[in-house]
Amino acid sequence: MKPAPFVHHAPRSVEEAAATLAQVGHDGKVLAGGQSLIPILNMRLASPAHLVDINQVAGLAEVTLTPEAVRVGALVRHARLEHHPEAYAALPLLRQALTHVAHPVIRNRGTTVGSIAHADAAGEMPAVLALTGGVVEAVSTAGTRDIDATDFFLGALETSLAEDELVVAVRFPRFATGTGTAFLERARRHGDYAMAGVAAAVQVVDGAVRDARLSFVSVTDVPRVVDVTDQVRGHEADGLDWRAVAPTVRDQIEPEGDIHATAEYRAMLAIELARLALDEATAKSVAAQYDSAAERGIAR
Amino acid sequence: MSEPTTEELLDITLTVNGVRRQAQAPARRLLSDFLRHDLQLTGTHVGCEHGVCGACTVLVDGAPMRSCLMFAVTAQAHAITTVEGLGTIEAMGPVQQAFTECHGLQCGFCTPGFLTTITAYLEENPEPTEHEAREAISGNLCRCTGYQNIVKSVLRAAEIRRERAAGTRP
Ligand SMILES: Cc1cc2nc3c(=O)[nH]c(=O)nc-3n(C[C@H](O)[C@H](O)[C@H](O)COP(=O)(O)OP(=O)(O)OC[C@H]3O[C@@H](n4cnc5c(N)ncnc54)[C@H](O)[C@@H]3O)c2cc1C
Ligand code: FES
Ligand code: FES
């Protein structure tokens, strides 16, 4: 099918884009990569009268590294972030997750910020934003504001973004030194939306677990952090049986059934993936410490 | 602002297969339809129009993208390569030649999307393994071939590229 008619706006600057959004109000939609929006328009599930196409806005295609975070502009395509060596070094979880976002051809066009603004609980990058405790930078004619991930996701495809706000970037904070991360999911076919997925971050200090968190894809109503630290803090990382956290995880997820998987199967899958991801993240944290100790000439 | 009543036609200029092309179309014209209807380049095929089948894949500045998930007006000023730009019957591109040699198509509906996707992929990874070849085409759907010969075609195309680079073939 074809989209309904709309007026196309092609602002060149953030100010111009914000002014246009203020003018068109609830009749307007931002168009970034279009990999979620255009299918919706093609199927006429939505027919906004105005599209504010930000593809020519200057200054939005940058990946910037600061000591605290990786900042990703609104026109950075998934593929660009996935293959960004410095972003990978600073926050390996970005690439670990991005390889699961659709197929490479979709990643060539879709943006990481767009997928967060779209706020699909089946999307990988909203889960990553949640796990890193990330921040969404929004601009409107009224000014700029930072929105914490915890305040950003409200429900299915629903965010706290106002209709006249443009997301200019998201910031993914780096984890504490020595944190290991992993991202695992199961889909019917690689590149499809996941039946269930999990991002894990574990910090081991002097052989003992200090911090362990998860966030999920397709099994919680909104992307958020499931903190399992209390159960394992101080435990020796070596040989730790992560099955112990299964009840905590089960309490905090509310999977739904669909044609691909029943709710109960999804829950089992999520719990098993959580165990595997925690194992992998733990091993990475331990290895990272060994590496940095070796660099300092200690562990010889 | 009010609803648009009559649809405004925009002048849209693209470079397609190295040639500057211009036509008028409304803002909602998908790039796939612009290529097919407005520029009469019917090589690009349209299957699902929601990004799943891959038949409409073209190269935008060298990178494969779904032309059903782009508006022509957004593609303005970019360089597009369609299947027509990959070669001619007399001088086939390596992937086209490989598909002919390995019987990589049956009805051919999905083929334009495979050819563009694989052409770009081999630029990035000129020596794929069979597993990598399989993964490279996993975003494209074919209803006829069972994929075996398409996988063979990817590997054969890589070989043809090497042969041509070494000058053993014209
Ligand atoms: C076949 C297929 C498979 C896919 N599989 C997956 C998958 O497995 N996992 C996954 O996560 N995604 C998947 N996607 C979606 C893809 O990742 C999208 O690219 C992404 O979700 C949206 O990014 P976009 O830039 O294309 O946004 P658009 O489609 O342009 O926009 C999406 C929504 O966000 C809003 N928006 C976008 N940018 C901004 C901004 N800067 N400020 C304010 N609002 C904004 C738009 O108004 C719209 O409502 C798939 C898509 C397709 C077509
Ligand atoms: S027609 Fe574009 S992906 Fe199917
Ligand atoms: S050859 Fe017929 S769909 Fe692929």
Side-chain angles (χ1 to χ4, degrees), chain A residues 36-75:
Chain A
S36 293
L37 183 59
I38 299 181
I40 292 169
L41 301 180
N42 284 355
M43 291 185 268
R44 300 238 180 156
L45 297 174
S47 45
H50 298 269
L51 283 193
V52 183
D53 180 345
I54 59 170
N55 283 280
Q56 300 194 44
V57 173
L60 295 184
E62 313 295 325
V63 178
T64 327
L65 279 97
T66 67
E68 296 79 37
V70 178
R71 182 179 185 271
V72 179
L75 278 182

Side-chain angles (χ1 to χ4, degrees), chain B:
Chain B
M1 281 195 180
S2 59
E3 295 270 328
T5 43
T6 54
E7 255 190 287
E8 192 193 350
L9 292 181
L10 310 172
D11 279 318
I12 297 170
T13 310
L14 307 176
T15 305
V16 186
N17 303 327
V19 181
R20 247 172 88 88
R21 301 290 302 270
Q22 193 268 330
Q24 287 201 320
R28 61 173 163 147
R29 182 77 88 236
L30 298 172
L31 176 59
S32 43
D33 290 335
F34 187 75
L35 293 167
R36 291 178 56 83
H37 302 305
D38 300 300
L39 302 184
Q40 306 294 315
L41 291 166
T42 53
T44 299
H45 288 178
V46 173
C48 65
E49 284 186 342
H50 53 272
V52 175
C53 75
C56 69
T57 308
V58 301
L59 309 184
V60 180
D61 301 325
M65 295 189 189
R66 302 291 201 231
S67 62
C68 74
L69 297 188
M70 272 181 86
F71 291 113
V73 62
T74 309
Q76 178 113 266
H78 290 278
I80 311 294
T81 308
T82 66
V83 68
E84 288 94 343
L86 299 182
T88 60
I89 290 181
E90 297 73 37
M92 280 191 262
V95 188
Q96 292 171 315
Q97 190 187 322
F99 266 67
T100 338
E101 287 180 16
C102 305
H103 195 54
L105 68 152
Q106 286 184 41
C107 79
F109 187 81
C110 67
T111 312
F114 275 98
L115 296 181
T116 46
T117 305
I118 296 164
T119 299
Y121 178 73
L122 292 176
E123 285 289 324
E124 232 174 79
N125 183 4
E127 292 184 42
T129 61
E130 188 187 321
H131 177 77
E132 288 169 340
R134 238 169 239 289
E135 197 158 298
I137 58 167
S138 66
N140 291 64
L141 299 182
C142 175
R143 289 172 296 180
C144 317
T145 71
Y147 299 94
Q148 300 301 344
N149 288 347
I150 301 182
V151 173
K152 274 187 211 150
S153 302
V154 178
L155 301 174
R156 176 68 189 126
E159 229 171 64
I160 296 171
R161 286 172 100 250
R162 288 196 291 276
E163 286 168 9
R164 289 193 189 174
T168 51
R169 259 170 197 258

